[in-house]
Amino acid sequence: MAFVSSGYNPEKPMENRISDIGPRHASDFFPPVIAKNKGQWLWHEICEPGILMHKAESGDEVYTVRCGGARLMSVGHIREICAIADKFCGGHLRFTTRNNIEFMVTTLDEAKKLKEYLNAQKFDGGSYKFPVGGTGAGITNIVHTQGWVHCHTPATDASGTVKVVLDELFEEFGQMRMPAQVRISMACCLNMCGAVHCSDIAILGYHRKPPVIDHEWLDNLCEIPLAVAACPVGAIRPTKKEIVTEKGETKTVNTVAIKNERCMFCGNCYTMCPSLPLSDQTGDGLVIMAGGKVSNRISNPKFSKVVVAFIPNEPPRWPRLAKVIRQIVEAYAADARKYERVGDWAERIGWERFFEKCELDFSEHMIDDFRDPAYYTWRQTTNFKF
């Protein structure tokens, strides 16, 4: 009753709510045309690469100019984005889930002027600050994880590999010459905070060696029960071990033992215990996957499949990675039918032909022997079936 006496209405919990906890509601930031027509949009079309038009029941139109943004941005870069929104869009903009920046205006002429302005903005080295594109049957912006910049379990870098791939495919971002959209994603380890399980082409950082155990310091730095419990495959157990310390002393310490044949190199143990580092210069690298999607068009959603079992880390430009991605994209663009995604194309021609056309080697590491009955019995799509 205390809440009711203070003015709280349980029938309308958000009424007159004042709070400094969390961000303000998204509706506070809608452009006027979006706020007016919320939930009343009829259809949309792509006017040209990078420009979309949405039509509302009221007859209102909103034109969106989409440009590629970075996963990690500096404060100065964000201020530039906000200044563009103030100049052209009344201070309104939005970010997409694939790290694109979208500016909304009310006429096609305004959209074209804004597109021209964005494409004219360049860094001192000559590269584009705000390249316009990522719409329709082209290559969309790459969604990726943190990589070496911020994460503690990556097998490769995220920002570096994505930069390399986007440099290789940059002309496709601003065009729509593909049979259908091509979504590329990147996750820097098997924990996969990216979307590599359901992307047309996916880059996955991959550890191949179990953690190194720092026996001398483990009991001082780690809660051993937590390190044991963190392993999803039960590969870690507590043990005692006689060691020689850095000072030359011999002593018995509390530590852990790892059953190497069980380890799946996920890095969960290192999250709980810094004395179990996983990174390794020769063991870490990249896996390329292909054929995944979320869309129900033409066929059911699909999981990505491994098509290149391992590419070593080659910073700063990862030349073999860029070459393989280019091979897949060019083969797909030349051979797929209109509206076919990469996975639909591969299944139509057969995965054997996919490897041939993409000039990829096949090995036993690519054999998919996953057989989960639920995968075939769950109603996992909106496609009609009895």
Short mmCIF file of all heavy atoms in Angstrom, two decimals, residues 147-177:
data_model
loop_
_atom_site.label_atom_id
_atom_site.label_comp_id
_atom_site.label_asym_id
_atom_site.label_seq_id
_atom_site.Cartn_x
_atom_site.Cartn_y
_atom_site.Cartn_z
N GLY A 147 38.03 -9.14 -29.60
CA GLY A 147 39.38 -9.50 -30.02
C GLY A 147 40.45 -9.08 -29.04
O GLY A 147 40.21 -8.94 -27.84
N TRP A 148 41.63 -8.88 -29.56
CA TRP A 148 42.77 -8.56 -28.70
C TRP A 148 42.63 -7.22 -28.00
O TRP A 148 43.33 -6.94 -27.02
CB TRP A 148 44.06 -8.56 -29.54
CG TRP A 148 44.47 -9.93 -30.00
CD1 TRP A 148 44.18 -11.12 -29.39
CD2 TRP A 148 45.25 -10.25 -31.15
NE1 TRP A 148 44.74 -12.17 -30.08
CE2 TRP A 148 45.40 -11.67 -31.19
CE3 TRP A 148 45.84 -9.51 -32.17
CZ2 TRP A 148 46.11 -12.32 -32.18
CZ3 TRP A 148 46.54 -10.17 -33.16
CH2 TRP A 148 46.68 -11.56 -33.17
N VAL A 149 41.74 -6.36 -28.48
CA VAL A 149 41.60 -5.03 -27.89
C VAL A 149 41.13 -5.11 -26.44
O VAL A 149 41.61 -4.39 -25.58
CB VAL A 149 40.62 -4.17 -28.72
CG1 VAL A 149 40.31 -2.87 -28.03
CG2 VAL A 149 41.20 -3.90 -30.10
N HIS A 150 40.18 -6.00 -26.17
CA HIS A 150 39.52 -5.91 -24.87
C HIS A 150 39.24 -7.25 -24.21
O HIS A 150 38.95 -7.30 -23.03
CB HIS A 150 38.19 -5.14 -25.04
CG HIS A 150 37.52 -4.80 -23.76
ND1 HIS A 150 38.09 -3.95 -22.83
CD2 HIS A 150 36.35 -5.19 -23.22
CE1 HIS A 150 37.28 -3.82 -21.79
NE2 HIS A 150 36.21 -4.57 -22.00
N CYS A 151 39.29 -8.36 -24.96
CA CYS A 151 38.87 -9.64 -24.39
C CYS A 151 40.08 -10.44 -23.92
O CYS A 151 41.20 -10.25 -24.41
CB CYS A 151 38.08 -10.44 -25.43
SG CYS A 151 37.39 -11.97 -24.78
N HIS A 152 39.86 -11.37 -23.00
CA HIS A 152 40.98 -12.14 -22.44
C HIS A 152 41.06 -13.56 -23.00
O HIS A 152 42.00 -14.29 -22.68
CB HIS A 152 40.86 -12.20 -20.91
CG HIS A 152 39.62 -12.85 -20.42
ND1 HIS A 152 38.41 -12.19 -20.37
CD2 HIS A 152 39.37 -14.10 -20.00
CE1 HIS A 152 37.49 -13.01 -19.91
NE2 HIS A 152 38.05 -14.18 -19.69
N THR A 153 40.09 -14.00 -23.82
CA THR A 153 40.16 -15.37 -24.35
C THR A 153 40.24 -15.46 -25.88
O THR A 153 40.05 -16.55 -26.42
CB THR A 153 38.92 -16.18 -23.90
OG1 THR A 153 37.73 -15.53 -24.34
CG2 THR A 153 38.90 -16.36 -22.41
N PRO A 154 40.53 -14.42 -26.63
CA PRO A 154 40.50 -14.55 -28.09
C PRO A 154 41.65 -15.39 -28.64
O PRO A 154 42.75 -15.39 -28.09
CB PRO A 154 40.61 -13.10 -28.58
CG PRO A 154 41.35 -12.40 -27.50
CD PRO A 154 40.88 -13.03 -26.23
N ALA A 155 41.37 -16.10 -29.73
CA ALA A 155 42.41 -16.83 -30.43
C ALA A 155 42.97 -15.99 -31.57
O ALA A 155 43.97 -16.36 -32.18
CB ALA A 155 41.85 -18.13 -30.98
N THR A 156 42.31 -14.90 -31.89
CA THR A 156 42.77 -14.00 -32.94
C THR A 156 42.23 -12.62 -32.65
O THR A 156 41.48 -12.42 -31.68
CB THR A 156 42.29 -14.49 -34.33
OG1 THR A 156 42.92 -13.71 -35.35
CG2 THR A 156 40.78 -14.36 -34.47
N ASP A 157 42.59 -11.66 -33.48
CA ASP A 157 42.06 -10.31 -33.31
C ASP A 157 40.75 -10.19 -34.07
O ASP A 157 40.54 -10.83 -35.10
CB ASP A 157 43.06 -9.29 -33.83
CG ASP A 157 42.65 -7.88 -33.46
OD1 ASP A 157 42.02 -7.71 -32.39
OD2 ASP A 157 42.94 -6.95 -34.21
N ALA A 158 39.86 -9.36 -33.57
CA ALA A 158 38.59 -9.12 -34.26
C ALA A 158 38.70 -7.89 -35.15
O ALA A 158 38.47 -7.96 -36.36
CB ALA A 158 37.47 -8.96 -33.24
N SER A 159 39.06 -6.76 -34.57
CA SER A 159 39.13 -5.52 -35.35
C SER A 159 40.09 -5.65 -36.52
O SER A 159 39.82 -5.18 -37.63
CB SER A 159 39.56 -4.36 -34.45
OG SER A 159 38.66 -4.21 -33.36
N GLY A 160 41.24 -6.30 -36.30
CA GLY A 160 42.24 -6.42 -37.36
C GLY A 160 41.77 -7.29 -38.51
O GLY A 160 41.89 -6.92 -39.68
N THR A 161 41.23 -8.46 -38.19
CA THR A 161 40.76 -9.36 -39.26
C THR A 161 39.59 -8.76 -40.02
O THR A 161 39.49 -8.90 -41.24
CB THR A 161 40.37 -10.72 -38.67
OG1 THR A 161 39.41 -10.54 -37.62
CG2 THR A 161 41.57 -11.46 -38.12
N VAL A 162 38.69 -8.09 -39.31
CA VAL A 162 37.53 -7.47 -39.96
C VAL A 162 37.98 -6.32 -40.87
O VAL A 162 37.48 -6.16 -41.98
CB VAL A 162 36.52 -6.99 -38.91
CG1 VAL A 162 35.49 -6.05 -39.53
CG2 VAL A 162 35.84 -8.18 -38.26
N LYS A 163 38.93 -5.55 -40.42
CA LYS A 163 39.47 -4.46 -41.25
C LYS A 163 40.05 -5.02 -42.55
O LYS A 163 39.81 -4.49 -43.64
CB LYS A 163 40.55 -3.72 -40.45
CG LYS A 163 41.47 -2.81 -41.26
CD LYS A 163 40.76 -1.60 -41.81
CE LYS A 163 41.76 -0.64 -42.44
NZ LYS A 163 41.10 0.40 -43.26
N VAL A 164 40.79 -6.12 -42.45
CA VAL A 164 41.40 -6.75 -43.62
C VAL A 164 40.33 -7.22 -44.61
O VAL A 164 40.41 -6.98 -45.82
CB VAL A 164 42.29 -7.93 -43.18
CG1 VAL A 164 42.67 -8.79 -44.38
CG2 VAL A 164 43.54 -7.42 -42.49
N VAL A 165 39.31 -7.92 -44.10
CA VAL A 165 38.26 -8.46 -44.96
C VAL A 165 37.45 -7.33 -45.61
O VAL A 165 37.13 -7.37 -46.80
CB VAL A 165 37.34 -9.41 -44.17
CG1 VAL A 165 36.14 -9.83 -45.01
CG2 VAL A 165 38.12 -10.64 -43.72
N LEU A 166 37.12 -6.30 -44.84
CA LEU A 166 36.35 -5.19 -45.41
C LEU A 166 37.18 -4.40 -46.42
O LEU A 166 36.64 -3.88 -47.40
CB LEU A 166 35.84 -4.28 -44.30
CG LEU A 166 34.63 -4.82 -43.53
CD1 LEU A 166 34.25 -3.89 -42.38
CD2 LEU A 166 33.43 -4.99 -44.46
N ASP A 167 38.48 -4.29 -46.19
CA ASP A 167 39.34 -3.67 -47.21
C ASP A 167 39.28 -4.47 -48.51
O ASP A 167 39.22 -3.91 -49.61
CB ASP A 167 40.78 -3.58 -46.72
CG ASP A 167 41.00 -2.43 -45.75
OD1 ASP A 167 40.08 -1.60 -45.61
OD2 ASP A 167 42.08 -2.37 -45.13
N GLU A 168 39.32 -5.80 -48.38
CA GLU A 168 39.30 -6.67 -49.55
C GLU A 168 37.99 -6.57 -50.31
O GLU A 168 37.96 -6.64 -51.54
CB GLU A 168 39.53 -8.12 -49.10
CG GLU A 168 39.53 -9.15 -50.21
CD GLU A 168 40.75 -9.05 -51.11
OE1 GLU A 168 41.82 -8.59 -50.65
OE2 GLU A 168 40.63 -9.45 -52.29
N LEU A 169 36.88 -6.37 -49.59
CA LEU A 169 35.55 -6.40 -50.21
C LEU A 169 34.88 -5.03 -50.22
O LEU A 169 33.67 -4.94 -50.41
CB LEU A 169 34.65 -7.40 -49.46
CG LEU A 169 35.15 -8.85 -49.36
CD1 LEU A 169 34.23 -9.66 -48.47
CD2 LEU A 169 35.24 -9.47 -50.74
N PHE A 170 35.66 -3.99 -50.04
CA PHE A 170 35.06 -2.67 -49.83
C PHE A 170 34.13 -2.24 -50.97
O PHE A 170 33.07 -1.67 -50.75
CB PHE A 170 36.15 -1.61 -49.63
CG PHE A 170 35.60 -0.23 -49.43
CD1 PHE A 170 34.98 0.12 -48.24
CD2 PHE A 170 35.68 0.72 -50.43
CE1 PHE A 170 34.45 1.37 -48.05
CE2 PHE A 170 35.16 1.98 -50.26
CZ PHE A 170 34.55 2.32 -49.06
N GLU A 171 34.53 -2.52 -52.21
CA GLU A 171 33.69 -2.08 -53.34
C GLU A 171 32.32 -2.73 -53.32
O GLU A 171 31.35 -2.18 -53.86
CB GLU A 171 34.41 -2.35 -54.67
CG GLU A 171 34.48 -3.82 -55.08
CD GLU A 171 35.60 -4.60 -54.44
OE1 GLU A 171 36.28 -4.05 -53.55
OE2 GLU A 171 35.81 -5.78 -54.83
N GLU A 172 32.20 -3.92 -52.69
CA GLU A 172 30.91 -4.61 -52.65
C GLU A 172 29.97 -4.00 -51.62
O GLU A 172 28.76 -4.18 -51.69
CB GLU A 172 31.11 -6.10 -52.35
CG GLU A 172 32.03 -6.83 -53.32
CD GLU A 172 31.50 -6.83 -54.75
OE1 GLU A 172 30.31 -6.49 -54.95
OE2 GLU A 172 32.28 -7.16 -55.67
N PHE A 173 30.52 -3.29 -50.64
CA PHE A 173 29.68 -2.67 -49.61
C PHE A 173 28.79 -1.58 -50.21
O PHE A 173 27.64 -1.40 -49.81
CB PHE A 173 30.56 -2.09 -48.50
CG PHE A 173 29.79 -1.42 -47.39
CD1 PHE A 173 29.13 -2.18 -46.43
CD2 PHE A 173 29.72 -0.04 -47.30
CE1 PHE A 173 28.43 -1.58 -45.41
CE2 PHE A 173 29.02 0.58 -46.28
CZ PHE A 173 28.37 -0.19 -45.33
N GLY A 174 29.32 -0.88 -51.19
CA GLY A 174 28.57 0.21 -51.81
C GLY A 174 27.83 -0.17 -53.07
O GLY A 174 27.29 0.69 -53.77
N GLN A 175 27.79 -1.48 -53.40
CA GLN A 175 27.08 -1.95 -54.58
C GLN A 175 26.06 -3.01 -54.20
O GLN A 175 25.99 -3.42 -53.04
CB GLN A 175 28.07 -2.54 -55.60
CG GLN A 175 29.13 -1.57 -56.08
CD GLN A 175 30.03 -2.21 -57.11
OE1 GLN A 175 29.58 -2.89 -58.01
NE2 GLN A 175 31.34 -1.98 -56.98
N MET A 176 25.28 -3.44 -55.17
CA MET A 176 24.30 -4.51 -54.94
C MET A 176 24.37 -5.49 -56.11
O MET A 176 23.38 -5.73 -56.80
CB MET A 176 22.89 -3.94 -54.76
CG MET A 176 22.77 -3.03 -53.54
SD MET A 176 21.08 -2.58 -53.08
CE MET A 176 20.54 -1.66 -54.50
N ARG A 177 25.56 -6.06 -56.33
CA ARG A 177 25.75 -6.95 -57.48
C ARG A 177 25.70 -8.42 -57.10
O ARG A 177 25.87 -9.30 -57.94
CB ARG A 177 27.07 -6.63 -58.19
CG ARG A 177 28.30 -7.16 -57.47
CD ARG A 177 29.57 -6.93 -58.27
NE ARG A 177 30.72 -7.60 -57.63
CZ ARG A 177 31.18 -8.78 -58.03
NH1 ARG A 177 30.62 -9.41 -59.04
NH2 ARG A 177 32.22 -9.33 -57.42
#
